[in-house]
């Protein structure tokens, strides 16, 4: 049952809308999806497409550096501190004892950190790959052949880890939509999460009052940061 206050605030079934994901995070997410897809397609095409695989890899590197920095200076729900999981929070969530989360829940947070780590390993090792035919990573010339061989093996083997993590990510989105009635894709497009007033009690009051900032200043800072990172990455890979 809705309280009198809720009925006055949200008449006729109106839902409370809270900005969760700022525009920089949403663009990061979808650009990362496109770059990963492009990277996987180009590596399987082979031949001259290997150069496009490298371009997509450099783009992923740029995006990851941006995401890591934005995880410390970005908006509320983009910051790692806001969804850093603990052993207690994970156990409580698995046992159904934890409140609902506006951003990433503890299991979702683990998935995010695992994917960021796996992708970081992939792009960093890719900088040292040398197939001696069509591609040489920009940093391969600075290390020995044994190091190149070792990092190339990691680069190739880590693909399987990324495939598994992406599959888990997609399966989780389907599960939440199918069995929990929660659309995780819509907020990553609009940035907003709609909360039924009757379900507000399932969230922490402090959490409901922590909407993410997403104004012109926030977006301008993100654009400046991404531009600096892109120029820096471009400089080092072209040396």
């Amino acid at each position: 049952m809705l309280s009198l206050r809720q009925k006055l605030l949200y008449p006729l079934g109106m839902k409370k809308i809270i900005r969760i994901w700022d525009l920089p995070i949403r663009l990061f997410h979808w650009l990362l999806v496109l770059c990963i897809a492009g990277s996987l397609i180009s590596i399987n095409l082979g031949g001259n497409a290997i150069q496009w695989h490298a371009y997509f890899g450099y783009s992923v590197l740029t995006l990851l550096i941006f995401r890591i920095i934005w995880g410390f200076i970005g908006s509320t729900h983009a910051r790692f501190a806001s969804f850093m999981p603990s052993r207690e929070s994970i156990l409580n969530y698995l046992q159904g004892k934890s409140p609902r989360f506006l951003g990433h829940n503890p299991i979702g947070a683990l998935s995010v950190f695992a994917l960021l780590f796996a992708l970081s390993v992939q792009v960093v090792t890719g900088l040292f790959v040398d197939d001696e035919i069509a591609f040489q990573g920009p940093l391969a010339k600075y290390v020995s052949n044994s190091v190149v061989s070792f990092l190339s093996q990691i680069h190739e083997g880590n693909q399987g880890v990324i495939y598994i993590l992406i599959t888990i990510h997609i399966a989780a989105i389907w599960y939440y939509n199918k069995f929990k009635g929660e659309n995780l894709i819509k907020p990553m497009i609009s940035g907003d999460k709609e909360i039924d007033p009757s379900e507000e009690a399932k969230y922490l009051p402090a959490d409901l009052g922590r909407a993410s900032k997403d104004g012109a200043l926030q977006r301008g800072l993100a654009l400046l940061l991404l531009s600096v990172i892109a120029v820096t990455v471009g400089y080092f890979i072209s040396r």
Side-chain angles (χ1 to χ4, degrees):
M1 294 290 291
L2 296 179
S3 66
L4 177 59
R5 178 177 176 274
Q6 288 175 323
K7 290 179 179 179
L8 292 174
L9 288 174
Y10 311 112
L12 301 177
M14 185 181 297
K15 294 185 177 181
K16 182 175 184 177
I17 299 177
I18 301 177
R19 176 54 52 97
I20 304 300
W21 308 122
D22 58 33
L23 183 61
I25 281 295
R26 284 176 278 151
L27 289 177
F28 158 80
H29 181 275
W30 296 114
L31 286 174
L32 186 64
V33 169
L34 290 175
C35 288
I36 292 175
S39 178
L40 295 177
I41 292 172
S42 57
I43 193 61
N44 285 296
L45 288 176
N48 294 331
I50 190 66
Q51 192 58 50
W52 281 101
H53 178 74
Y55 293 150
F56 284 120
Y58 301 146
S59 298
V60 171
L61 174 61
T62 300
L63 290 170
L64 288 176
I65 295 174
F66 167 80
R67 181 62 185 96
I68 291 171
I69 296 176
W70 201 245
F72 294 98
I73 67 172
S75 60
T76 299
H77 294 283
R79 296 193 179 195
F80 298 136
S82 72
F83 60 90
M84 182 68 71
S86 65
R87 180 176 179 274
E88 182 181 5
S89 65
I90 293 172
L91 291 176
N92 286 337
Y93 182 79
L94 292 175
Q95 295 171 4
K97 297 179 181 179
S98 62
R100 288 192 178 182
F101 296 86
L102 288 178
H104 298 299
N105 63 54
I107 301 301
L110 286 178
S111 175
V112 168
F113 285 122
L115 190 55
L116 289 177
F117 177 75
L119 290 174
S120 296
V121 169
Q122 195 69 3
V123 294
V124 170
T125 55
L127 297 174
F128 296 89
V129 168
D130 185 359
D131 62 9
E132 300 181 350
I133 300 175
F135 177 76
Q136 181 187 60
L139 301 184
K141 59 189 175 183
Y142 297 112
V143 297
S144 66
N145 290 335
S146 59
V147 172
V148 168
S149 178
F150 174 68
L151 294 178
S152 296
Q153 290 177 22
I154 293 178
H155 187 77
E156 184 174 353
N158 192 54
Q159 290 182 51
V161 177
I162 294 175
Y163 289 143
I164 292 172
L165 291 174
I166 290 175
T167 301
I168 293 174
H169 190 72
I170 295 174
I173 292 173
W174 175 83
Y175 172 80
Y176 272 84
N177 186 59
K178 181 72 175 180
F179 296 102
K180 293 196 172 185
E182 187 173 353
N183 189 331
L184 300 180
I185 295 179
K186 185 178 179 181
M188 192 54 73
I189 295 175
S190 66
D192 299 324
K193 188 165 188 175
E194 298 179 353
I195 300 176
D196 192 302
S198 63
E199 297 185 344
E200 278 195 53
K202 297 179 181 179
Y203 296 84
L204 290 174
D207 209 17
L208 291 175
R210 296 169 61 220
S212 292
K213 294 181 180 179
D214 193 20
L217 182 61
Q218 195 86 356
R219 297 176 180 183
L221 174 62
L223 180 60
L224 176 62
L225 176 62
L226 183 62
S227 299
V228 171
I229 295 170
V231 170
T232 303
V233 170
Y235 171 75
F236 280 104
I237 65 175
S238 62
R239 291 182 62 183

